[in-house]
Amino acid sequence: METGRERMHTGSEVLYGRAVRIPLPDAEAERSLHENMMRIAAAGERKSELLDDPNVPLTEVYEDELDDMRRSFEHRLRQVAGEDYYDVATAYIDGDRDDWVGALAAYYLECYYRLQERYTVGEDVFCLVILRYPDCFTVNLTFLDGDVGPEGVRYESSKHGGAELDDAAREQYYADCQYSQHEAAAYVRGNVDHIREAFPDPDTTPFERRRYGGFVHITGRSGPTFAEVLDSVDPDPDRFDDDAATPGLVPAGPEFERVKRDLVADGEVVV
């Protein structure tokens, strides 16, 4: 019997080179976007606190992050397609429907399954780019085969390495890992404001100052070494030549290509 992920794999092209585009037609939509981005920023701060806690293994830090993402994706899926989101997504994959609801359900569900794989068996680089334009925003979730570039921060997990060391070397290795995680915590804490600055409060910020904004969050792992980038991204004002009428899937865009080229060495999209 096929698992949900195996069933969705036939529709993996939904993710390839695509992003979700969501209109911002009114003040309520603007506030909802801001609140969602503040939740992402708060999750970043929580991650920095866990990284800085010597009593919390790195595996638990990532399990906590995965739980948060799982809840977020389930919430988005229910918002878009209701409780039967799996059936809606697979109907789109099978060609039984071609509306934006099915497209977004398939995109989000594929991301959900891919994230689960990444934290259990995979070492793909996970790249999230969220961009704000005057009348819409885009969400691009991509999985890459490659190495996170020198930008950002690297840190090690003593639980994933050091098994062949003697007691003295293992103790030093553990201390080095704790220090690297402390440095990573400081990096995340210091860069999470890129998210807040990209999506300021619409009730207190003039429209001209919030027409454009964006950020990228990249995480990757190679054995015991983890890497992370959290930075701002400038949206391309010429990306769209039409108004955002309804939600839908759009090409990943020049901003993602720039991120992939500049921040992921030999980055190739995993299909």
Side-chain angles (χ1 to χ4, degrees):
M1 183 179 220
E2 283 186 316
T3 65
R5 174 68 185 97
E6 289 168 341
R7 179 67 188 82
M8 288 296 295
H9 185 67
T10 59
S12 60
E13 67 271 13
V14 172
L15 276 184
Y16 186 80
R18 302 285 190 87
V20 171
R21 185 187 187 191
I22 305 292
L24 291 170
D26 51 37
E28 183 179 355
E30 293 262 7
R31 276 190 221 97
S32 177
L33 172 63
H34 170 69
E35 290 167 1
N36 285 334
M37 295 304 102
M38 294 310 98
R39 279 193 283 270
I40 292 176
E45 289 188 333
R46 183 172 65 252
K47 181 176 182 178
S48 74
E49 293 171 359
L50 293 174
L51 282 169
D52 224 4
D53 188 338
N55 297 315
V56 179
L58 194 52
T59 50
E60 290 188 19
V61 177
Y62 274 77
E63 285 170 4
D64 180 82
E65 187 173 48
L66 176 59
D67 286 341
D68 185 72
M69 289 183 176
R70 180 185 297 116
R71 288 190 296 269
S72 176
F73 275 107
E74 287 178 343
H75 176 69
R76 291 177 190 175
L77 282 162
R78 289 190 172 95
Q79 272 191 322
V80 168
E83 293 297 326
D84 297 327
Y85 57 78
Y86 178 82
D87 293 335
V88 172
T90 53
Y92 180 84
I93 296 300
D94 291 339
D96 295 331
R97 60 187 299 165
D98 62 358
D99 60 327
W100 70 263
V101 174
L104 266 60
Y107 188 94
Y108 287 141
L109 193 59
E110 175 69 11
C111 289
Y112 174 79
Y113 285 133
R114 287 281 188 94
L115 280 169
Q116 285 187 308
E117 287 181 350
R118 180 183 179 274
Y119 287 102
T120 53
V121 300
E123 293 189 2
D124 294 342
V125 174
F126 171 60
C127 178
L128 168 66
V129 180
I130 302 183
L131 301 169
R132 163 68 199 262
Y133 304 87
D135 69 337
C136 66
F137 70 97
T138 61
V139 179
N140 186 333
L141 299 112
T142 308
F143 298 83
L144 301 167
D145 181 16
D147 296 317
V148 179
E151 295 78 8
V153 67
R154 278 174 162 71
Y155 49 106
E156 292 204 32
S157 166
S158 58
K159 201 158 187 172
H160 291 84
E164 299 178 0
L165 300 175
D166 60 33
D167 290 345
R170 188 179 300 112
E171 185 176 341
Q172 181 61 51
Y173 179 66
Y174 177 80
D176 291 343
C177 288
Q178 290 299 313
Y179 180 77
S180 71
Q181 290 174 34
H182 172 74
E183 293 291 294
Y187 171 85
V188 173
R189 188 165 53 248
N191 284 274
V192 76
D193 277 343
H194 287 304
I195 302 172
R196 296 190 178 96
E197 291 165 1
F199 299 92
D201 188 343
D203 293 329
T204 59
T205 308
F207 180 70
E208 285 303 311
R209 287 179 50 201
R210 53 185 169 83
R211 294 173 73 240
Y212 294 99
F215 73 92
V216 56
H217 186 203
I218 298 174
T219 58
R221 171 189 163 197
S222 178
T225 303
F226 292 74
E228 193 145 354
V229 176
L230 179 56
D231 206 349
S232 59
V233 175
D234 294 326
D236 184 346
D238 299 321
R239 179 176 178 182
F240 299 113
D241 57 8
D242 62 334
D243 295 331
T246 61
L249 298 182
V250 295
E255 303 92 342
F256 167 72
E257 293 301 325
R258 189 169 70 244
V259 163
K260 181 164 70 75
R261 181 190 69 234
D262 295 345
L263 300 179
V264 183
D266 301 318
E268 295 293 337
V269 175
V270 178
V271 180

